[in-house]
């Protein structure tokens, strides 16, 4: 039986595409088991968008606790940090405004939570491809992009809130890879990762990391230096990635 009071959804929000947001909302509404709460951290959406969002929210199951937190000027990571401080559950899942959940996602995550779990990873669908949660794939830094310890930060994992008391909140000086820094730090500190073989969500392509590859590479260079992992290799790979991005 799924545990209660264990899972909060966190959604940073800024003038989302209303049709995509409605699809996300419906994917939550029709879950086999709804999450314990949903925190939407709004960075300054227009009054028109907020009115529409509030209208859609009223159509959801009244048992679901929903709170829109106004945080004008917030970045993705400052919004998430506020959500982490505000959420009341043991675990949280980040879910973007252009993502949506598969029907039994919440139930399957909650059913599989155990006391020693730190981060639980699932399969996702992104760009029409299934990305599998692989227990033995320990690639911290592949050639293109960030860590392969997880499938995707948004929609692909749930994280025990307590880990942030030990590792710290998301580093807000990063624009794209603060989540990668946090995930890798958890792995290096040997917190438990669990891998589940089910598809939890379908991920949109509107995220900043999908559109700013050069910035991803520069932040990855910085991240590896800060974690003191293979600095010479890091410099070589940065040059390779930047040259490759020109073609």
């Amino acid at each position: 039986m799924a545990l209660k009071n264990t899972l909060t959804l966190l959604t940073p929000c800024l003038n989302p595409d209303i049709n995509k947001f409605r699809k996300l909302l419906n994917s939550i509404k029709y879950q086999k088991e709804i999450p314990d709460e949903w925190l939407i951290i709004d960075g300054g959406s227009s009054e028109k968008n907020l009115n529409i969002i509030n209208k859609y929210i009223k159509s959801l199951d009244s048992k679901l606790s929903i709170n829109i937190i106004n945080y004008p000027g917030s970045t993705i990571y400052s919004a998430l940090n506020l959500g982490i401080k505000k959420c009341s559950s043991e675990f949280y899942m980040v879910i973007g405004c252009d993502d949506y959940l598969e029907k039994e996602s919440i139930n399957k995550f909650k059913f599989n939570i155990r006391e020693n779990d730190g981060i639980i990873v699932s399969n996702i669908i992104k760009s029409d491809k299934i990305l599998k949660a692989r227990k033995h794939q320990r690639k911290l830094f592949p050639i293109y992009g960030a860590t392969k310890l997880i499938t995707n930060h948004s929609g692909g994992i749930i994280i025990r809130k307590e880990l942030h008391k030990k590792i710290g909140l998301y580093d807000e000086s990063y624009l794209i890879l603060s989540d990668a820094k946090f995930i890798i730090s958890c792995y290096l500190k040997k917190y438990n990762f669990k891998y589940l073989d089910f598809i939890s969500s379908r991920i949109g392509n509107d995220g900043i990391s999908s559109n700013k590859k050069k910035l991803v590479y520069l932040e990855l260079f910085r991240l590896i230096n800060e974690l003191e992992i293979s600095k010479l290799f890091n410099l070589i790979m940065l040059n390779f990635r930047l040259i490759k991005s020109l073609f």
Side-chain angles (χ1 to χ4, degrees):
M1 183 177 179
L3 299 174
K4 302 296 182 183
N5 301 317
T6 51
L7 186 56
T8 292
L9 298 183
L10 299 181
T11 300
C13 178
L14 179 61
N15 289 318
D17 180 301
I18 292 300
N19 289 328
K20 291 179 180 179
F21 183 84
R22 181 166 55 184
K23 194 170 185 178
L24 166 63
L25 185 146
N26 284 333
S27 77
I28 297 171
K29 178 179 181 179
Y30 295 113
Q31 285 292 299
K32 182 176 180 180
E33 179 172 348
I34 61 173
D36 300 294
E37 64 177 346
W38 184 18
L39 302 184
I40 301 169
I41 306 95
D42 184 76
S45 294
S46 68
E47 184 176 351
K48 178 181 178 181
N49 266 22
L50 284 175
N51 287 339
I52 294 172
I53 289 170
N54 277 303
K55 178 182 176 181
Y56 287 151
I57 284 174
K58 289 179 181 178
S59 70
L60 284 178
D61 191 324
S62 59
K63 294 179 182 179
L64 174 59
S65 172
I66 305 170
N67 187 11
I68 298 179
I69 303 171
N70 294 314
Y71 192 8
S74 56
T75 64
I76 291 173
Y77 296 117
S78 63
L80 289 178
N81 284 340
L82 180 60
I84 291 164
K85 293 173 185 176
K86 297 284 187 181
C87 80
S88 58
S89 302
E90 285 185 67
F91 283 78
Y92 71 88
M93 172 196 272
V94 178
I95 190 76
C97 290
D98 63 329
D99 307 331
Y100 66 94
L101 300 173
E102 293 296 310
K103 192 169 184 179
E104 295 189 31
S105 176
I106 300 300
N107 180 62
K108 287 181 178 179
F109 269 125
K110 293 176 72 172
F111 183 81
N112 283 284
I113 290 173
R114 299 294 181 269
E115 185 177 352
N116 69 329
D117 292 334
I119 295 174
I120 303 179
V121 187
S122 68
N123 305 332
I124 62 161
I125 296 177
K126 188 172 185 178
S127 300
D128 296 322
K129 295 180 180 179
I130 297 176
L131 301 183
K132 300 281 287 185
R134 295 175 180 173
K135 182 176 181 180
H136 300 294
Q137 182 166 307
R138 298 303 193 205
K139 291 185 179 179
L140 298 186
F141 307 107
I143 293 177
Y144 306 106
T147 179
K148 291 293 184 182
L149 290 171
I150 62 171
T151 50
N152 206 66
H153 181 237
S154 177
I157 60 175
I158 64 173
I159 299 172
R160 186 178 291 275
K161 180 181 175 180
E162 183 72 17
L163 292 183
H164 287 284
K165 293 182 180 179
K166 300 172 181 178
I167 301 293
L169 293 170
Y170 293 111
D171 185 341
E172 295 176 21
S173 67
Y174 283 82
L175 295 178
I176 298 176
L177 293 185
S178 185
D179 53 288
K181 180 180 179 181
F182 173 76
I183 297 297
I184 292 169
S185 295
C186 289
Y187 174 71
L188 294 175
K189 292 289 186 181
K190 301 187 182 304
Y191 292 113
N192 189 49
F193 285 64
K194 176 186 281 185
Y195 295 84
L196 303 177
D197 189 18
F198 76 94
I199 296 172
S200 61
S201 61
R202 294 175 183 260
I203 307 301
N205 292 314
D206 293 345
I208 187 171
S209 61
S210 298
N211 301 309
K212 296 192 176 184
K213 292 296 184 185
K214 290 181 183 178
L215 182 55
V216 170
Y217 299 152
L218 291 171
E219 288 201 350
L220 189 55
F221 177 78
R222 174 189 164 194
L223 190 161
I224 297 173
N225 279 339
E226 288 184 358
L227 295 177
E228 298 185 347
I229 302 172
S230 187
K231 293 185 179 182
L232 177 59
F233 176 76
N234 187 23
L235 182 59
I236 294 170
M237 292 310 298
L238 172 65
N239 282 282
F240 175 80
R241 292 175 178 125
L242 291 175
I243 291 170
K244 193 72 175 176
S245 69
L246 296 176
F247 299 95

